[in-house]
Amino acid sequence: MSTVDFSTDSTPFSADTPLHMTSLSDYRVLTIYGADAPTFLQGQFTQDVAAATEQTARLSAYCTAKGRMLASFIFWQSGTPATDGTKAFHVLVRSDIAESFAKRLRMFVLRAKVTIEDTGMTPTAYWAGENVDLAAGKLGTPAPWQVVVTGSAVQIGLPAGTGIQRGLLIGDHDIDAGTAQPGQPDEWAVLDILAGIPWVEQANQEMFIPQDVNLDAIGAVSFTKGCYPGQEVVARSHYRGKLKRRMLNGFCDVAGETSPAAGTDITDITNIREPSGQVVNVATLADKQFLLFEVRLEAAEHNQLVLGDENGTPITLLPMPYLLDKPALA
């Protein structure tokens, strides 16, 4: 499969990109706590809840009984007990689905001692080229998914896949950003796309099972834990043979054009009888639309994908920063 190397001008980021910071109003933090919270969440999330600690955040998803994703999120264990003295978990989720996600979880709490609250906190994102020293601004460089607590603030390192170091700050912090430049949420969204990290948002709820968007390949699905909604469908997709569909990333040169919605068709112009895939997430930066899209791997091998129907804009494929193989079971 032909791809574009990140060292070209296909992306606006490089190893010398200066430090940028921006607030992410499209994301919210929920807190879930109570004596029964760990057990309750273990029966709801695709991820093993025990893997999310005070030092390590984890990706996960929440599915319908048919295995279709209602939410994807990052979660970790709080370093301090909740107001009732019990263990608490923080969940970072897209703002446009946060309320429906919390409401759905509450439907299954029943008599369990579990409380789900919106913290009202908005995360701050930061990123810089790998040649930039972040220690000067007291940011430090936590490894991907590492959680560092400083006072009442949490710092989470995230994978970048582009020669960029990046992460999130959540809560009140006194970190001196020094000469940080103002960034834009769209830049952060592009970094997620280049890192191959998908987000369930309102526009793509219930479109995909976790494997469609590589969540199994990036450690967001446990195949050795107990049951959760949709577990039979997700497990069946894992065990039935080679996966024929995966999520890839790329970009279109579309100066001035409107961004496509999640779910927009992806077409292989060597076979236009039916769509070959769908857009998962999109972010526009400068004159390019960066895409995460789910597609038949056979169609992707032809490397003649376009956005929309056969007359659509060509998609230039970018290299995924991780292997798409099925994870080995413990």
Side-chain angles (χ1 to χ4, degrees), residues 117-152:
E117 295 180 347
D118 187 337
T119 66
M121 290 190 292
T122 298
T124 296
Y126 68 87
W127 63 92
E130 61 186 5
N131 292 338
V132 177
D133 181 12
L134 298 183
K138 296 193 295 185
L139 271 169
T141 56
W145 308 121
Q146 181 184 2
V147 177
V148 177
V149 179
T150 304
S152 58

Side-chain angles (χ1 to χ4, degrees), residues 66-250:
K66 295 182 179 180
R68 297 282 169 171
M69 294 193 301
L70 289 165
S72 63
F73 47 89
I74 299 170
F75 77 113
W76 65 99
Q77 186 177 324
S78 175
T80 57
T83 54
D84 64 354
T86 62
K87 184 178 295 186
F89 295 87
H90 297 304
V91 178
L92 179 72
V93 65
R94 292 277 300 195
S95 297
D96 60 352
I97 64 169
E99 185 175 347
S100 63
F101 173 43
K103 182 178 180 180
R104 177 102 176 182
L105 283 175
R106 292 187 186 107
M107 289 172 55
F108 297 97
V109 169
L110 301 177
R111 296 183 179 179
K113 295 179 180 179
V114 176
T115 300
I116 303 166
E117 295 180 347
D118 187 337
T119 66
M121 290 190 292
T122 298
T124 296
Y126 68 87
W127 63 92
E130 61 186 5
N131 292 338
V132 177
D133 181 12
L134 298 183
K138 296 193 295 185
L139 271 169
T141 56
W145 308 121
Q146 181 184 2
V147 177
V148 177
V149 179
T150 304
S152 58
V154 170
Q155 182 180 5
I156 303 175
L158 291 185
T162 60
I164 292 286
Q165 49 187 328
R166 68 182 189 129
L168 294 167
L169 296 168
I170 299 167
D172 297 327
H173 63 83
D174 60 354
I175 291 175
D176 177 14
T179 58
Q181 299 183 14
Q184 298 297 324
D186 281 347
E187 293 177 278
W188 180 259
V190 170
L191 285 168
D192 270 338
I193 288 171
L194 296 178
I197 297 178
W199 287 93
V200 173
E201 52 190 279
Q202 195 171 63
N204 62 23
Q205 277 187 309
E206 298 191 56
M207 283 188 182
F208 306 107
I209 66 171
Q211 284 97 329
D212 289 340
V213 295
N214 306 348
L215 287 191
D216 60 324
I218 54 179
V221 180
S222 171
F223 293 97
T224 57
K225 60 168 281 184
C227 294
Y228 54 86
Q231 186 263 344
E232 291 184 4
V233 175
V234 175
R236 191 183 311 125
S237 296
H238 181 79
Y239 290 110
R240 69 184 177 188
K242 185 177 180 180
L243 291 171
K244 298 181 179 180
R245 309 183 72 92
R246 276 301 200 185
M247 184 183 69
L248 302 178
N249 59 12

Side-chain angles (χ1 to χ4, degrees), residues 1-15:
M1 186 185 303
S2 176
T3 59
V4 174
D5 189 89
F6 284 122
S7 63
T8 73
D9 62 359
S10 58
T11 79
F13 308 104
S14 74

